Amino acid sequence: MTARAADNGYLSGSNLERVLRAGHFAVTAELGPPQSADGDVIRRKAALLKGNCDAVNITDNQTAIVRMSSIGAGTILVQEGLEPVIQMTCRDRNRLAIQSDLLGAYALGMRNVLCLTGDHQSFGNHPTAKNVFDIDSIQLVQMVAAMRDEGIFQCGEPFKGQEPRFFVGAAAAPFADPVEFRPYRLAKKVKAGADFIQTQLIYDVEAFRKYMEKVRELGLHEQTYILAGVGPLKSPGMARYMKKNVPGILMPDEIIERMQAAGAAWAGKSKDELTPEEKKARSRAWREAGIRICIELIQQLREIEGVAGVHIMAIEWEEAVEPIVSGAGLLPRPVVETSAPQKAASPGGS
Amino acid sequence: MIVAEQKTLDEIKSLVGDARKVLVVGCGTCVTVCFAGGAREAAIVATSLRMASRLEGVERDVTDVTVQRQCEWEYLDGIGEKISEADVVLSLGCGIGVQAIAEHFPDVWVVPGLNTSFLGLPTEQGVWAERCAACGDCILGLTGGICPIARCSKSLLNGPCGGSEDGHCEIDPEIPCAWQLIYERLERMGRLDALFEIQPPKDWSTSRDGGPRKIVRADLRLSPEEE
């Protein structure tokens, strides 16, 4: 399928698309909606992110825990003048619900969708729920791209009026098993119509460099924009947890050691021996180190050919995004006018 | 085969309630080979119920009988009298057996003694694993004889999600990642190309999603004169 641009030359015209097409190194961040109906939580988090990124991912019941809907939270972001990337999983909705929600999202001003499989419900707070998985993430990419490029529903029927024109994203887990298949799975997502990719958290730059070599060999970096996933660590414990428990994350010992070293002044004391002030100071020192490491990761990832931007996942720590983006020399964020793009629709140009 | 597991004695007792005359009906097919509801299990359940009744001081007549296949009415006809005399029939057949009794004996109260678990096979002594989801549109020819509908926790059709690690599924280290198995098998067979093709959304209408299913084979139907 060939991606079809609108009259203005853009596929979706989203800010993220404009920034990427203009050749800027893109920055996206992530916002986790609350486990409540409190819209002010979104407004508070939005204020922390505004001006520090080109678009904000809003998770879709991440880790299968019920939260405010991505599209609901996204609507508030639009009102606050930020651009959302709606995350859409295949766990909770069948093809009817996904398409209908996307029509609504487009009408409410959303222009980017990240198509995901979704965490299994057994991880979340409703483990006895029935899951859906009517389609998978690759079929979802294909469906959203065809809505835009062919103006059709998944069943093949044409829209009766305006088609939703989304900038279509997909995820990549470069280090999940079987690792040899991962570049090819990315190729499938690109073939399905993924305009941009956001990767799982990268801490092992060397391993990611090797993955990107294969990605370039397949020419994928010229067909899609790849945003490398990064995230600041809050403590050495968080690093160790990720290494041990989160599939698809490679955590070099060197990073764990650096996090430990940051808390060296309080080492040797058990949790009970520390005063609340000491705990706070230690936490501050850890978090500063986490931000420093994150900045360095961005600088290293930026040097890899084919990396078009970074996706910063500061989970429940949106305050970290500004110092990271600023520290990485990525502020101010570019403003790209809506006028026709100078570059071709594909990342490699033509 | 259909793989099932016995309900707890407590649940069985509450299903039987205060019935005086209880008939435990075993099945000689799938649930016999998975040691859940064959003649041996039917006898054990009947004995357990008798002992429980004695301990509780309840007068109860519990007998057991096993038929070759509970899911065919011809076999049930052979024990029709026993079934009709019971206050409650405790079926140790799969869910199909329970329903075959209910459908064939409209005036008899029948309750399940098993939980019907899945379609699968024994992988080692005492271990059974799911293999088929009866989706009605077999894709095993595309996936090297390993079913992602039944064996991938998310029934994915285009390869492994990001939760595959060290060969197992993210939801449980005891569950092998179906896509890792598919990948290894196709690689061994020199057929990895099959994985690079995008599989379109599945037509689930042949599955339970299309409503209760039924097969009518015109070639096997009896003509009106034969009926």
Side-chain angles (χ1 to χ4, degrees), chain A residues 34-92:
Chain A
Q35 295 182 58
S36 76
D38 185 357
D40 285 339
V41 176
I42 306 292
R43 289 180 193 97
R44 272 199 300 277
K45 290 184 172 188
L48 295 169
L49 298 173
K50 195 169 185 177
N52 296 319
C53 56
D54 307 313
V56 178
N57 281 46
I58 308 179
T59 52
D60 177 15
N61 292 332
Q62 193 177 13
T63 61
I65 288 171
V66 178
R67 294 170 179 276
M68 186 185 291
S69 73
S70 182
I71 293 169
T75 305
I76 299 176
L77 272 200
V78 171
Q79 289 163 358
E80 296 295 301
L82 283 87
E83 180 171 283
V85 177
I86 297 306
Q87 295 197 177
M88 179 65 77
T89 71
C90 300
R91 178 193 58 229
D92 307 327

Side-chain angles (χ1 to χ4, degrees), chain A residues 95 117-118 120 122-123 133-136 138-139 142 154 173 176-178 180-182 184-185 188 192 247-248, chain B residues 153-154 156-167 170-171 180 183 187 195-202 204:
Chain A
R95 60 191 88 175
T117 305
H120 196 269
S122 60
F123 291 105
F133 298 118
D134 171 26
I135 56 175
D136 63 29
I138 289 176
Q139 294 159 349
Q142 214 170 27
Q154 192 276 327
D177 287 323
E180 323 79 69
F181 183 60
R182 293 296 158 177
Y184 296 100
R185 180 153 160 90
K188 280 179 96 166
Chain B
S153 299
K154 300 173 183 174
L156 303 181
L157 288 175
N158 279 293
C161 73
S164 176
E165 194 171 38
D166 298 332
E170 65 180 1
I171 78 164
Q180 176 78 39
Y183 183 85
E187 189 180 37
L195 287 192
F196 304 148
E197 290 300 312
I198 295 176
Q199 294 307 320
K202 188 169 167 65
W204 294 105

Side-chain angles (χ1 to χ4, degrees), chain A:
Chain A
M1 193 195 312
T2 316
R4 194 168 52 89
D7 294 341
N8 65 6
Y10 286 106
L11 298 169
S12 69
S14 75
N15 185 55
L16 181 59
E17 181 186 1
R18 296 202 306 271
V19 166
L20 285 165
R21 296 267 298 272
H24 297 291
F25 189 76
V27 176
T28 53
E30 193 154 296
L31 187 156
Q35 295 182 58
S36 76
D38 185 357
D40 285 339
V41 176
I42 306 292
R43 289 180 193 97
R44 272 199 300 277
K45 290 184 172 188
L48 295 169
L49 298 173
K50 195 169 185 177
N52 296 319
C53 56
D54 307 313
V56 178
N57 281 46
I58 308 179
T59 52
D60 177 15
N61 292 332
Q62 193 177 13
T63 61
I65 288 171
V66 178
R67 294 170 179 276
M68 186 185 291
S69 73
S70 182
I71 293 169
T75 305
I76 299 176
L77 272 200
V78 171
Q79 289 163 358
E80 296 295 301
L82 283 87
E83 180 171 283
V85 177
I86 297 306
Q87 295 197 177
M88 179 65 77
T89 71
C90 300
R91 178 193 58 229
D92 307 327
R93 299 172 185 80
N94 67 7
R95 60 191 88 175
L96 280 81
I98 292 175
Q99 291 179 98
S100 136
D101 278 353
L102 288 179
L103 295 186
Y106 188 83
L108 287 165
M110 275 145 263
R111 294 294 179 266
N112 310 296
V113 180
L114 185 73
C115 303
L116 302 168
T117 305
D119 297 317
H120 196 269
Q121 77 277 5
S122 60
F123 291 105
N125 58 357
H126 292 73
T128 59
K130 191 176 198 298
N131 60 38
V132 181
F133 298 118
D134 171 26
I135 56 175
D136 63 29
S137 59
I138 289 176
Q139 294 159 349
L140 176 57
V141 167
Q142 214 170 27
M143 184 171 85
V144 186
M147 286 169 110
R148 179 192 68 206
D149 298 333
E150 298 174 44
I152 53 168
F153 290 102
Q154 192 276 327
C155 64
E157 282 176 18
F159 289 109
K160 296 174 169 47
Q162 173 67 47
E163 75 279 10
R165 303 193 59 80
F166 286 107
F167 197 46
V168 185
F175 312 129
D177 287 323
V179 110
E180 323 79 69
F181 183 60
R182 293 296 158 177
Y184 296 100
R185 180 153 160 90
L186 178 63
K188 280 179 96 166
K189 292 190 173 185
V190 171
K191 194 170 156 193
D195 304 310
F196 70 100
I197 299 293
Q198 291 171 321
T199 76
Q200 173 62 292
L201 289 165
I202 309 293
Y203 290 99
D204 190 330
V205 177
E206 268 323 297
F208 186 65
R209 216 187 296 276
K210 288 202 185 82
Y211 170 81
M212 284 302 294
E213 268 170 32
K214 187 72 194 170
V215 166
R216 287 196 303 272
E217 208 179 294
L218 295 171
L220 303 176
H221 65 306
E222 290 172 345
Q223 301 166 55
T224 195
Y225 296 101
I226 297 167
L227 277 61
V230 294
L233 295 163
K234 287 178 184 168
S235 66
M238 179 180 176
R240 281 192 297 268
Y241 177 86
M242 283 183 167
K243 185 185 179 83
K244 197 163 164 256
N245 298 311
V246 185
I249 291 188
L250 295 183
M251 180 66 69
D253 290 332
E254 184 214 329
I255 286 186
I256 299 178
E257 283 156 18
R258 277 186 67 185
M259 287 301 292
Q260 270 163 347
W266 300 273
K269 280 191 181 179
S270 79
K271 220 165 79 180
D272 304 330
E273 289 170 314
L274 293 175
T275 64
E277 288 71 33
E278 284 175 319
K279 274 189 202 164
K280 256 188 212 156
R282 185 179 66 173
S283 172
R284 213 164 30 240
W286 278 342
R287 286 175 181 233
E288 278 167 14
I291 288 175
R292 262 197 317 277
I293 292 168
C294 190
I295 291 169
E296 288 170 28
L297 286 169
I298 293 175
Q299 286 162 342
Q300 291 168 31
L301 291 165
R302 200 178 172 177
E303 297 303 313
I304 300 175
E305 190 191 343
V307 174
V310 281
H311 176 52
I312 304 168
M313 289 170 267
I315 302 149
E316 291 303 314
W317 188 18
E318 285 80 0
E319 293 86 348
V321 173
E322 194 274 335
I324 291 170
V325 181
S326 163
L330 294 168
L331 286 182
R333 297 310 307 147
V335 177
V336 183
E337 296 308 324
T338 322
S339 61
Q342 298 302 304
K343 285 195 165 188
S346 70
S350 62

Side-chain angles (χ1 to χ4, degrees), chain B residues 134-135 204-213:
Chain B
C135 73
W204 294 105
S205 68
T206 57
S207 180
R208 244 296 299 165
D209 305 275
R213 293 167 280 177

Side-chain angles (χ1 to χ4, degrees), chain B residues 61-158:
Chain B
D61 171 19
V62 187
T63 52
D64 66 273
V65 63
T66 295
V67 293
Q68 184 57 40
R69 276 204 287 282
Q70 259 185 54
C71 58
E72 289 193 52
W73 287 321
E74 293 92 303
Y75 292 100
L76 293 175
D77 284 332
I79 57 165
E81 206 169 313
K82 282 185 177 169
I83 286 179
S84 301
E85 283 169 3
D87 295 330
V88 65
V89 172
L90 175 68
S91 164
L92 293 194
C94 67
I96 308 165
V98 179
Q99 295 183 67
I101 293 173
E103 207 167 332
H104 205 44
F105 302 94
D107 300 322
V108 169
W109 188 245
V110 56
V111 295
L114 304 184
N115 292 317
T116 307
S117 306
F118 51 78
L119 306 180
L121 52 75
T123 51
E124 50 191 287
Q125 180 72 31
V127 179
W128 288 265
E130 183 164 17
R131 287 294 179 265
C132 178
C135 73
D137 184 13
C138 193
I139 56 162
L140 286 168
L142 294 170
T143 55
I146 295 161
C147 180
I149 307 293
R151 299 180 65 183
C152 164
S153 299
K154 300 173 183 174
S155 296
L156 303 181
L157 288 175
N158 279 293

